[in-house]
Amino acid sequence: MHPDDGPKAAKPRSWRSIVPRWLRHGLLVFLVLLVIEYLVIPELVGASKNLHLLSKLNIGWLVAGIGLEAGAIVSYALLTRTLLPDGGPGLFKLVRIVLATTAVAHVIPGGAAGGASVGYRLLTSNGVEGADAGFAMATEAIGSALVLNVLLWLALLISIPLAGLHPIYVVAALVGLLALFGAATLAYALTRGGEVAVRVVRSVGRRIPRVGADRLERLVRQVGDSVVQLAQNPVILKKALLWAGLNWILDAASLWSFVTAFGHFVDPIELFAAYGIANVLGAIPITPGGLGVIEASAATLLVSFGVTRNVATLAVLGWRLVNFWLPIPIGGVAYISLRVPRGAGLRAQRQALVDMAADAKRPGQGPEIDPSSEGATP
């Protein structure tokens, strides 16, 4: 029993026990509608007025953007393979697992937990031990998010002399730095058995909806254990950092290719700064996969770097078509190919999709994944 959880201590009431369920769901729907009204629809309207630019589209750069996005997915699958023991699923099977988990994350708000649950079950059903699957998925999701913050921080430092000091740069750099420092401090303290860190984590966890004290403590301890295990094997650590970094860099390069396809060459460092900030903002679990948030913020930041509004809007929407929308049907097909034997009828395939949705709603049976790691996969 933890000191802060003694029998005499009154258990604080969660806001979820006070606010009716119908009101919570109504607020969520209202927030989603606000995002659609003020972020998604304006981008679509702006894009519809600039469709004449499609006649000048460079097909070569467009194909390159699609290929780079595919490379980002393969890199994430290679990250998974690096974190799994030898003899695990092959690369092609891991790519399909990544696509299936990505599809779930792009369909439901805060879908990182649901995607992790689906991925966990797919890994264990393909011969991976539960502990190994949990370690791999938790480490890659959290570690990938940390790698993005590090890359973003470096991009901001490099781009300041090139593009000047934007106010959002300061906010993003400070938030990223504080998040990295705080996560490292808590993980280190918990792995050393620090009771003060335990009380802090549990106190924060009790105030986070759908998390709670026990789950957040397990999560932070899992992060610390993952770091310790990786630190003891520098070869695996270097490979994991390589594939996690390539996952983000190739995804950002895909966006750069879509911008270039419309005849505008933007500085790669400035583009990564816009890309990183957009993905950090998109991690807020309001809409699935940051839908609307990433499009609006990325386009706005690209305009601040000299890209015309019409090119920025069409390029970002084209990139998100490949980055966000395309993995949804492909991920569904990938899930069916993993769960349904060859030759099975349409009924079995439809049932597989039903099972996929049911798995996504039971995240508690899989590994503990931090909701803030949303977007870990592109």
Side-chain angles (χ1 to χ4, degrees):
M1 180 178 295
H2 295 273
D4 60 328
D5 296 332
K8 296 182 181 180
K11 186 177 181 180
R13 293 185 66 186
S14 169
W15 70 273
R16 297 182 67 206
S17 64
I18 300 175
V19 181
R21 183 177 181 182
W22 63 268
L23 181 57
R24 297 199 307 270
H25 289 178
L27 289 174
L28 177 60
V29 172
F30 178 69
L31 288 174
V32 172
L33 291 176
L34 281 180
V35 171
I36 294 174
E37 173 71 19
Y38 291 102
L39 297 180
V40 178
I41 293 179
E43 292 296 323
L44 293 176
V45 172
S48 65
K49 296 179 180 179
N50 300 299
L51 292 179
H52 63 278
L53 293 175
L54 294 178
S55 61
K56 303 179 181 179
L57 187 66
N58 187 305
I59 302 299
W61 282 115
L62 180 65
V63 173
I66 297 173
L68 288 166
E69 193 63 46
I73 294 174
V74 173
S75 296
Y76 201 84
L78 288 168
L79 171 62
T80 306
R81 189 171 70 171
T82 299
L83 297 172
L84 290 174
D86 294 335
L91 179 59
F92 180 57
K93 186 167 289 185
L94 287 175
V95 168
R96 287 181 288 165
I97 291 175
V98 169
L99 285 169
T101 58
T102 303
V104 172
H106 288 184
V107 170
I108 58 177
S117 180
V118 170
Y120 178 85
R121 289 174 177 81
L122 289 175
L123 287 174
T124 53
S125 65
N126 282 277
V128 180
E129 295 291 335
D132 294 330
F135 167 78
M137 298 212 65
T139 303
E140 67 186 4
I142 299 166
S144 184
L146 293 176
V147 168
L148 173 62
N149 279 275
V150 172
L151 292 174
L152 172 59
W153 196 65
L154 294 175
L156 293 178
L157 290 179
I158 297 173
S159 64
I160 288 175
L162 300 176
L165 182 61
H166 292 244
I168 195 172
Y169 279 15
V170 179
V171 176
L174 288 177
V175 170
L177 186 60
L178 289 174
L180 292 173
F181 179 76
T185 302
L186 284 176
Y188 177 83
L190 280 176
T191 54
R192 295 298 182 269
E195 290 301 325
V196 174
V198 172
R199 287 197 294 271
V200 170
V201 169
R202 294 182 65 82
S203 176
V204 173
R206 282 194 294 267
R207 290 165 175 78
I208 301 179
R210 299 186 180 183
V211 176
D214 292 336
R215 188 176 183 188
L216 186 60
E217 182 186 349
R218 288 197 304 271
L219 171 65
V220 178
R221 288 188 185 277
Q222 192 173 44
V223 173
D225 293 339
S226 299
V227 171
V228 171
Q229 291 186 45
L230 287 176
Q232 293 173 349
N233 195 326
V235 175
I236 293 180
L237 176 60
K238 291 178 181 179
K239 289 183 179 179
L241 291 175
L242 170 64
W243 296 124
L246 276 177
N247 167 245
W248 293 113
I249 292 172
L250 291 175
D251 189 33
S254 175
L255 173 58
W256 185 88
S257 295
F258 274 90
V259 176
T260 307
F262 287 96
H264 192 105
F265 290 88
V266 62
D267 184 274
I269 299 298
E270 294 178 352
L271 180 132
F272 193 90
Y275 166 86
I277 293 173
N279 274 275
V280 169
L281 293 176
I284 303 173
I286 298 177
T287 59
L291 179 64
V293 178
I294 291 179
E295 288 84 347
S297 54
T300 301
L301 288 167
L302 286 175
V303 171
S304 70
F305 291 137
V307 182
T308 60
R309 168 60 68 176
N310 50 5
V311 169
T313 299
L314 286 177
V316 170
L317 289 179
W319 166 66
R320 286 291 277 174
L321 177 64
V322 177
N323 165 277
F324 179 88
W325 293 105
L326 197 57
I328 296 176
I330 295 179
V333 174
Y335 185 89
I336 292 174
S337 70
L338 290 165
R339 303 292 283 183
V340 178
R342 289 186 178 181
L346 290 176
R347 183 175 181 180
Q349 296 175 7
R350 287 196 296 266
Q351 183 59 45
L353 293 178
V354 172
D355 295 339
M356 182 182 183
D359 286 346
K361 295 179 181 178
R362 296 194 294 268
Q365 298 179 17
E368 297 289 344
I369 301 296
D370 185 2
S372 65
S373 63
E374 178 78 47
T377 50

